[in-house]
Amino acid sequence: DQQVKQNSPSLSVQEGRISILNCDYTNSMFDYFLWYKKYPAEGPTFLISISSIKDKNEDGRFTVFLNKSAKHLSLHIVPSQPGDSAVYFCAASRNTGANSKLTFGKGITLSVRP
Amino acid sequence: DTAVSQTPKYLVTQMGNDKSIKCEQNLGHDTMYWYKQDSKKFLKIMFSYNNKELIINETVPNRFSPKSPDKAHLNLHINSLELGDSAVYFCASSQTGRNQPQHFGDGTRLSIL
């Protein structure tokens, strides 16, 4: 049962333009969401997160938007740079006590063309 | 000054063998994790330890046994390897507490012949 879905396997954008990566979830108990970035042969690295009490969080070129009613979040990268080319994973967690368990989507491959 | 390091990076072995993967973190974190990324690319939690105590144990065959000798190390031992165990295994660590970002190692690619 796929609780976090990243339905588009890949996205290609021109350098300088906006990249929009989408993520949907089915479990209404999720209350914290994260985006991770992964280069080939490396582990995922944390990028940005958002709590369910917010609808937007911004960090430099990266902004995450959360639409709880639609169970949808998106990551905006603007302007996109060639170094942003990587696999982006959406992850979600719910309150299970002191430690959280992350549920990941299968990732979106972003290619930024120079 | 690698934060989360796993060894080996690649592991090729035959069905039925027993193998171990080691993980160490130098971030001072109290919580460590093992994830499996299968052929469909999903990253799934297997185990989590907090201060050497097991706190998350997903539905994983008991051929997989994690061991945490101290809070900076979490090793994964796999007995009687099967073809379906072929995957990339990632170790991660975080501070204790909800919503602490997890820091991942570079993964161990396990291939079963």
Side-chain angles (χ1 to χ4, degrees), chain A residues 31-42:
Chain A
D31 62 356
Y32 197 75
F33 304 89
L34 308 91
W35 284 94
Y36 281 81
K37 174 180 176 180
K38 184 183 180 304
Y39 292 118
E42 294 184 11

Side-chain angles (χ1 to χ4, degrees), chain A residues 31-32 36 41 43 93 97-98 101, chain B residues 9 58 97-99 102 105-106:
Chain A
D31 62 356
Y32 197 75
Y36 281 81
S93 75
K101 183 179 81 171
Chain B
K9 197 170 178 66
E58 291 296 285
R98 282 218 68 211
N99 305 330
Q102 295 179 19
D106 287 342

Side-chain angles (χ1 to χ4, degrees), chain B residues 17-33:
Chain B
N17 284 351
D18 303 338
K19 289 293 178 186
S20 293
I21 307 172
K22 296 187 176 182
C23 179
E24 176 181 3
Q25 55 93 5
N26 62 5
L27 296 166
H29 291 163
D30 294 327
T31 305
M32 296 186 72
Y33 312 80

Side-chain angles (χ1 to χ4, degrees), chain A residues 1-69:
Chain A
D1 176 28
Q2 222 178 306
Q3 298 186 64
V4 178
K5 302 178 184 181
Q6 296 178 261
N7 292 320
S8 302
S10 62
L11 175 68
S12 180
V13 299
Q14 191 76 37
E15 181 179 5
R17 306 293 288 267
I18 185 171
S19 296
I20 301 176
L21 290 75
N22 293 308
C23 178
D24 297 291
Y25 61 96
T26 58
N27 190 338
S28 57
M29 299 297 290
F30 287 143
D31 62 356
Y32 197 75
F33 304 89
L34 308 91
W35 284 94
Y36 281 81
K37 174 180 176 180
K38 184 183 180 304
Y39 292 118
E42 294 184 11
T45 55
F46 170 71
L47 197 56
I48 192 170
S49 61
I50 188 167
S51 164
S52 61
I53 62 173
K54 295 185 174 182
D55 55 18
K56 176 183 174 181
N57 188 25
E58 189 173 352
D59 183 1
R61 296 186 298 114
F62 302 91
T63 303
V64 56
F65 295 92
L66 175 62
N67 182 334
K68 279 197 304 182
S69 60

